[in-house]
Amino acid sequence: MPDRNRRITLAARPEGPPRATDFELVEAPVPRPGPGQLLSRTIYLSLDPYMRGRMNQSVGYAPTVDIGGVMVGGTVARVVESNLGGYQAGDFILCSNGWQDYGLSDGTGVRKLDPAAAPISTAVGVLGMPGHTAYVGLLDIGQPQPGETVVVSAASGAVGAVVGQIARIKGCRVVGVAGAREKCDYVTRELGFDACVSRFDEAFPDALRAACPDGIDVYFENAGGAVFEAVLPLLNTHARIPICGRIANYNQTEPPPGPNLVPRVMGLTLVRRLTFRGFIIFDHMDREPDFLRDVGAWIRSGELVYKEDVVDGLEQAVPAFQGLLQGKNFGKLLVRVSDDPTR
Amino acid sequence: MPDRNRRITLAARPEGPPRATDFELVEAPVPRPGPGQLLSRTIYLSLDPYMRGRMNQSVGYAPTVDIGGVMVGGTVARVVESNLGGYQAGDFILCSNGWQDYGLSDGTGVRKLDPAAAPISTAVGVLGMPGHTAYVGLLDIGQPQPGETVVVSAASGAVGAVVGQIARIKGCRVVGVAGAREKCDYVTRELGFDACVSRFDEAFPDALRAACPDGIDVYFENAGGAVFEAVLPLLNTHARIPICGRIANYNQTEPPPGPNLVPRVMGLTLVRRLTFRGFIIFDHMDREPDFLRDVGAWIRSGELVYKEDVVDGLEQAVPAFQGLLQGKNFGKLLVRVSDDPTR
């Protein structure tokens, strides 16, 4: 066991896309757990788009990271030393160490993982926050009915892939929007979506329209920007739009140029009786048991599959995160910070 | 009984605010009711903002008025001649004669009115579609809780006045937005709102903020434009925004200049978990009995009051409607097309 704890901290608040110099890799002694605490070593660090918001000064739905503070993030880790009842050295846990080798915890938000039940990496992916987000956003907010058309942006991503597969299982026509051609192929061939349209296509709005001959009943919004604008005219009466993320807008430093389309969006909201609803998963923790039961069963039956994009080494977290915001990952993005002894 | 039926038809589709030349007053013979029909004479014609949308070519939630067609509208009328079971000459009815002296009906959407129960004019106002819209939009979509802050735009209007009074009855802090000072005074003194802010004030956004020290939990959207933009930053986490109308935008021929605020609105929708939901009353007719029971009781008990702005003569419908779109009316706008024998 190394005696140093590498940590990636926030060096400066980014303007626009985060630069390498907005982060700093620092070393500190490995901390010792106090009474009621446990020390764990990070195995997998989850990288997710929401982290971009935590780098800003502006107040969102969660505290921002302080300058000099360790970047936050969900992690799969192994207990090194425990002064906390119920945990002992060697246990695999879901915790929030953030972007560092080691972390302390008093047990808040920690869950023990059974490597025999599912690969431990899934606890921050398909069986973790991204999967839970997909489940609640689609089923509780989108309320898809059999035969309806569901469109999912960022369709090959950690959330989108689960949204679309659940919609397929529920009997919907499912249309994905993704970037690279290989992602679109994956979405239709491996995930079983009915169609997938590339947002890189010059004729993207027309292609989306062609893929949705009966309009759109549920649009699961992960994208923002041009995808949102292409979806808008296709929305059916009484369509539901769960707002999960707006990755196209996260790096924006100021509003895009006009015209101002708010009146158009709100006018359509009125005449088509649309429902736009933003949500974050922390408001819906009561649904976690249902989510784990249903998605766990679909994974075991092979009805729902998942893909992980694993990069090796904490020092790769920064470029991997920069790529995530540009859609360069292919599947749920994870940093393997230390060896996974279960694989 | 005159032998001519005066009708106001759509002469041209307006670009921007409707001009007098977009309408035409024509005369036709008074029609005779066929089998299963009744003929009625219009007493009150209701003028409502939604009518502006019916003048456009673009497809909204209801058929547009054809060029040369009679302008549509809800009316209170008296049966002249009936070949329809259940109705006889002299009955007062709620019907949809539109902007004309006489109309035929097969009974669809017709309701008989009891002048002893309530003034017949209320059937197109506080006890009609505007009141029903207020009731459903506030209670079913806004879901206000006691102690929450409800903001209502167009607060002295046919819908807004009912929204705010129901919110007050439900134990909310109620803040109105209106135009002229006398309307604001009416809203606080007569309707019992906690505060009312004039959108004509130079410091309107600041005044609204000061009137909402605990933020806004429900914004009943009737206005659009600058009122919407002032409300946006004040919305609390989990706020609900029923979209009932967007009168500031109805006469727009193209989107306003930038910046494009859609990303800002959707970003706020996400981080504050807002719900924007457009609705029209025709989707909620199942709630009419509840509405009539509750609002009827509140009127009888004096808890809920209403104000009518009555102009005399069908020929006044055009300038009155033009004024409505500019907020010149004060209370529910009605055209008295013929004498009301119950007053």
Side-chain angles (χ1 to χ4, degrees):
Chain A
M1 169 177 149
D3 61 349
R4 306 301 289 174
N5 181 24
R6 294 173 304 157
R7 337 175 78 180
I8 295 179
T9 62
L10 182 63
R13 301 206 182 280
E15 304 211 357
R19 297 161 303 173
T21 53
D22 295 329
F23 303 88
E24 190 175 9
L25 179 65
V26 299
E27 294 200 352
V30 177
R32 298 297 309 271
Q37 288 189 324
L38 63 77
L39 172 72
S40 69
R41 181 171 185 179
T42 307
I43 300 172
Y44 292 108
L45 163 66
S46 175
L47 292 180
D48 302 279
Y50 76 84
M51 293 167 172
R52 178 64 186 84
R54 304 294 177 92
M55 302 175 78
N56 290 340
Q57 184 66 64
S58 66
V59 176
Y61 43 73
T64 61
V65 177
D66 291 330
I67 296 290
V70 177
M71 286 289 295
V72 294
T75 49
V76 172
R78 193 168 200 185
V79 176
V80 175
E81 188 179 345
S82 175
N83 299 323
L84 181 61
Y87 295 92
Q88 54 188 15
D91 284 349
F92 295 101
I93 58 171
L94 171 69
C95 57
S96 299
N97 285 349
W99 299 26
Q100 59 183 345
D101 285 315
Y102 293 91
L104 294 174
S105 171
D106 63 2
T108 306
V110 170
R111 182 157 56 91
K112 212 184 286 193
L113 302 175
D114 176 5
I120 58 174
S121 59
T122 58
V124 288
V126 66
L127 287 172
M129 189 265 287
H132 190 183
T133 299
Y135 183 88
V136 164
L138 179 69
L139 295 180
D140 296 357
I141 299 180
Q143 298 182 22
Q145 305 301 314
E148 287 192 328
T149 297
V150 174
V151 170
V152 189
S153 48
S156 71
V159 176
V162 180
V163 169
Q165 291 182 92
I166 297 177
R168 187 203 67 215
I169 290 166
K170 295 294 182 184
C172 299
R173 174 175 173 80
V174 188
V175 176
V177 177
R181 175 52 48 196
E182 62 174 334
K183 290 184 181 178
C184 290
D185 289 346
Y186 167 75
V187 163
T188 49
R189 287 182 198 163
E190 306 292 326
L191 303 183
F193 287 30
D194 295 282
C196 190
V197 180
S198 172
R199 62 188 169 85
F200 297 157
D201 278 2
E202 254 182 66
F204 164 64
D206 293 334
L208 183 65
R209 182 181 296 270
C212 303
D214 299 322
I216 298 172
D217 301 294
V218 178
Y219 171 55
F220 193 97
E221 167 68 312
N222 260 319
V227 177
F228 180 80
E229 289 180 19
V231 162
L232 207 56
L234 305 179
L235 292 168
N236 288 333
T237 298
H238 296 132
R240 289 81 65 197
I241 302 96
I243 311 274
C244 172
R246 303 270 304 166
I247 198 167
N249 304 119
Y250 289 172
N251 281 333
Q252 285 177 351
T253 53
E254 51 188 54
N260 182 6
L261 297 179
V262 167
R264 185 174 144 234
V265 172
M266 291 296 156
L268 264 181
T269 303
L270 174 56
V271 300
R272 298 207 185 146
R273 294 93 94 189
L274 308 177
T275 301
F276 288 88
R277 186 168 161 203
F279 73 102
I280 62 167
I281 198 58
F282 307 108
D283 292 335
H284 303 271
M285 294 314 289
D286 59 313
R287 288 280 274 157
E288 194 176 35
D290 300 327
F291 150 65
L292 289 173
R293 181 197 61 224
D294 289 346
V295 175
W298 290 323
I299 290 175
R300 282 191 298 277
S301 71
E303 288 175 277
L304 195 149
V305 298
Y306 62 94
K307 184 181 185 70
E308 294 174 341
D309 184 343
V310 182
V311 300
D312 271 301
L314 181 64
E315 67 283 0
Q316 293 304 316
V318 171
F321 181 63
Q322 291 172 313
L324 175 72
L325 294 174
Q326 299 167 49
K328 290 192 176 166
N329 60 302
F330 188 0
K332 168 61 197 147
L333 183 60
L334 298 170
V335 180
R336 186 156 38 207
V337 178
S338 65
D339 282 348
D340 176 354
T342 69
R343 288 208 180 170
Chain B
M1 170 177 148
D3 61 350
R4 307 300 289 175
N5 181 24
R6 295 172 305 156
R7 339 175 79 182
I8 296 179
T9 61
L10 181 63
R13 302 207 180 279
E15 304 210 356
R19 298 160 304 173
T21 52
D22 295 327
F23 303 88
E24 190 175 11
L25 179 65
V26 299
E27 294 200 352
V30 176
R32 299 298 309 273
Q37 288 189 324
L38 62 77
L39 173 73
S40 69
R41 181 171 185 181
T42 307
I43 300 173
Y44 293 107
L45 163 66
S46 176
L47 293 179
D48 302 278
Y50 77 83
M51 294 166 171
R52 177 64 186 81
R54 305 293 177 92
M55 302 174 77
N56 290 341
Q57 183 66 64
S58 65
V59 175
Y61 44 73
T64 61
V65 176
D66 291 330
I67 297 289
V70 178
M71 287 288 295
V72 294
T75 49
V76 172
R78 193 168 198 183
V79 176
V80 174
E81 189 179 346
S82 175
N83 299 325
L84 181 62
Y87 296 91
Q88 55 187 13
D91 284 347
F92 295 101
I93 58 171
L94 171 69
C95 57
S96 299
N97 285 349
W99 299 29
Q100 60 183 345
D101 285 317
Y102 293 92
L104 294 175
S105 171
D106 63 3
T108 307
V110 171
R111 181 155 59 91
K112 213 184 286 192
L113 303 175
D114 175 5
I120 56 173
S121 59
T122 59
V124 288
V126 66
L127 288 172
M129 189 265 287
H132 189 183
T133 298
Y135 183 89
V136 164
L138 179 68
L139 295 181
D140 295 357
I141 298 179
Q143 299 184 18
Q145 305 301 313
E148 287 192 327
T149 298
V150 175
V151 169
V152 189
S153 48
S156 72
V159 176
V162 179
V163 169
Q165 291 181 92
I166 297 177
R168 187 202 66 217
I169 291 166
K170 295 295 182 183
C172 299
R173 174 175 173 80
V174 188
V175 176
V177 176
R181 176 51 49 194
E182 62 173 334
K183 290 184 180 176
C184 290
D185 290 345
Y186 167 76
V187 163
T188 50
R189 288 181 196 160
E190 307 293 325
L191 303 184
F193 287 31
D194 295 282
C196 190
V197 180
S198 171
R199 63 187 168 86
F200 297 157
D201 279 1
E202 255 181 65
F204 164 65
D206 293 334
L208 183 64
R209 182 182 296 270
C212 302
D214 299 322
I216 299 172
D217 300 296
V218 178
Y219 171 54
F220 193 96
E221 168 67 311
N222 259 319
V227 177
F228 180 80
E229 289 180 20
V231 162
L232 206 56
L234 305 178
L235 292 168
N236 288 332
T237 297
H238 295 132
R240 289 80 66 197
I241 302 97
I243 311 273
C244 172
R246 303 269 305 169
I247 197 168
N249 304 118
Y250 288 172
N251 280 333
Q252 286 177 350
T253 53
E254 53 189 54
N260 182 6
L261 297 179
V262 167
R264 186 172 144 235
V265 172
M266 291 297 156
L268 264 181
T269 302
L270 174 57
V271 299
R272 299 208 184 144
R273 293 91 94 188
L274 308 176
T275 302
F276 288 87
R277 185 169 160 201
F279 72 102
I280 62 167
I281 198 59
F282 307 108
D283 291 334
H284 302 271
M285 295 315 288
D286 59 312
R287 289 281 274 157
E288 194 175 35
D290 300 327
F291 150 65
L292 289 172
R293 180 197 64 221
D294 289 345
V295 175
W298 290 324
I299 291 174
R300 283 191 298 278
S301 70
E303 289 174 277
L304 195 150
V305 299
Y306 61 94
K307 184 182 185 70
E308 294 174 340
D309 185 342
V310 182
V311 299
D312 273 299
L314 181 64
E315 67 284 0
Q316 294 304 314
V318 171
F321 181 63
Q322 292 172 314
L324 174 72
L325 294 174
Q326 299 167 48
K328 290 191 175 166
N329 60 303
F330 189 178
K332 168 60 199 152
L333 184 59
L334 299 169
V335 180
R336 186 156 39 209
V337 178
S338 66
D339 282 348
D340 176 354
T342 69
R343 288 207 179 169

